Amino acid sequence: MSDAAILVTEGLGWTIGGARILEDVSLEIRDGEFLAVIGPNGAGKTSLFNLLTGLHEPTAGRVRLAGEDITDLPPHARAQRGLKRSFQVTSIFTALTVHENARLAAQAELRGSFDIWTRVTRRDAASQRADRALELTGLADLADEVAANLSHGNKRKLDLALVLAQDPRVLLLDEPTAGMSMEDLPDLVRVVRDIQAQGTTVVMVEHRMDVVIDLADRIAVMHHGSLLACDRPDAVMANETVQTAYLGESL
Ligand SMILES: Nc1ncnc2c1ncn2[C@@H]1O[C@H](COP(=O)(O)OP(=O)(O)O)[C@@H](O)[C@H]1O
Ligand SMILES: [Mg+2]
């Protein structure tokens, strides 16, 4: 991890239908770090992701990726630059095998980067990316399994593999642990940590502090649409504003 910023928001705000959802969010995500974004339901975590990826247009502020102002770019242009996300809702094709799912995700990303004469090369490249993504998420042994047959925990891992197959530079994960049993959690979080160890910047939304406290380099705390703090886990735990506003309520 370096101190260089890769993804930066400056005074980001989002108001919709008269409701102020996000206000003055200024965040510097460092190249290669594991940043956890925590906060209770309704704090604005998913909305922040929607502004980062271009799903919604901010009503105030700017977003920069690797120094480039991407505020006015559509989602696909941001994805092309390496900003990739998973959704709270899964995008798995349950009738296909695990490997087919991963290969399709890789193919979608590779489309356009090869001409018609290199179709075979493209298929190979997609397949190799799929292999790597399954390896890294611990699903290699289940490559030929139909996705519908996976356990819930393995489906969450496949969600991760699908974004990984798209070769992210910055990976935005929105509650990848949703609906998982406490027993499966450490395994999934370890996979996320392994992904980051390979050089990918990871920003992970999680509403339970205990899940990320030992693994995140830094924790950003959101509350009522504002960023309360963004610091190392121990500093966040000791932060009085955070304690009164958030920890006091929900932990
Ligand atoms: N498209 C939208 N239109 C109106 N309100 C929205 C929209 N998206 C989110 N909100 C509201 O914004 C607030 C923050 O939601 P969200 O970003 O999903 O929070 P979180 O992910 O932290 O649970 C909630 O009050 C939610 O109802
Ligand atoms: Mg959310």
Side-chain angles (χ1 to χ4, degrees), residues 41 45-47 88 174-175 205:
N41 271 333
K45 305 179 299 295
T46 297
S47 298
Q88 239 169 325
D174 196 352
E175 305 215 23
V205 166

Side-chain angles (χ1 to χ4, degrees), residues 9-245:
T9 70
E10 291 165 6
L12 211 57
W14 187 49
T15 300
I16 185 160
R20 192 179 290 163
I21 310 296
L22 288 177
E23 193 180 10
D24 198 22
V25 175
S26 295
L27 185 61
E28 282 202 3
I29 297 158
R30 297 171 187 159
D31 202 4
E33 83 170 317
F34 185 154
L35 178 76
V37 180
I38 65 161
N41 271 333
K45 305 179 299 295
T46 297
S47 298
L48 175 63
F49 271 22
N50 290 341
L51 296 189
L52 292 175
T53 55
L55 209 60
H56 295 312
E57 216 179 302
T59 37
R62 312 301 300 173
V63 182
R64 284 177 218 287
L65 178 65
E68 182 189 8
D69 189 325
I70 59 164
T71 319
D72 300 319
L73 291 183
H76 69 87
R78 301 183 194 207
Q80 266 169 8
R81 286 162 171 75
L83 188 58
K84 308 277 160 94
R85 79 181 291 177
S86 74
F87 285 87
Q88 239 169 325
V89 180
T90 180
S91 50
I92 297 171
F93 293 109
T94 49
L96 300 182
T97 68
V98 167
H99 190 269
E100 282 164 346
N101 267 284
R103 204 189 61 223
L104 279 179
Q107 259 167 357
E109 208 274 332
L110 287 166
R111 190 173 299 142
S113 58
F114 292 92
D115 63 31
I116 191 162
W117 306 109
T118 53
R119 259 194 203 146
V120 175
T121 320
R122 182 173 65 192
R123 207 171 55 222
D124 288 353
S127 197
Q128 278 167 18
R129 270 200 198 176
D131 289 342
R132 245 185 296 132
L134 296 183
E135 202 70 54
L136 200 51
T137 47
L139 291 175
D141 290 345
L142 296 168
D144 297 324
E145 189 67 63
V146 175
N149 296 339
L150 295 182
S151 67
H152 184 77
N154 282 333
K155 280 185 183 145
R156 298 282 74 80
K157 285 188 187 171
L158 182 53
D159 280 330
L160 278 183
L162 298 189
V163 216
L164 264 188
Q166 299 168 48
D167 203 18
R169 179 164 184 196
V170 179
L171 180 56
L172 304 176
L173 302 173
D174 196 352
E175 305 215 23
T177 62
M180 289 182 68
S181 66
M182 284 310 281
E183 191 182 306
D184 286 340
L185 274 182
D187 201 23
L188 187 91
V189 179
R190 208 171 307 117
V191 167
V192 176
R193 185 76 199 193
D194 287 347
I195 292 168
Q196 184 237 354
Q198 304 280 312
T200 307
T201 306
V202 175
V203 187
M204 175 173 149
V205 166
E206 172 58 58
H207 68 271
R208 288 161 301 188
M209 174 85 105
D210 55 336
V211 173
V212 289
I213 192 89
D214 294 329
L215 290 160
D217 294 310
R218 291 190 306 155
I219 295 179
V221 183
M222 299 212 43
H223 191 67
H224 296 320
S226 296
L227 186 64
L228 284 190
C230 182
D231 213 330
R232 299 165 61 87
D234 50 346
V236 163
M237 293 296 279
N239 183 308
E240 270 180 39
T241 318
V242 174
Q243 281 177 3
T244 21

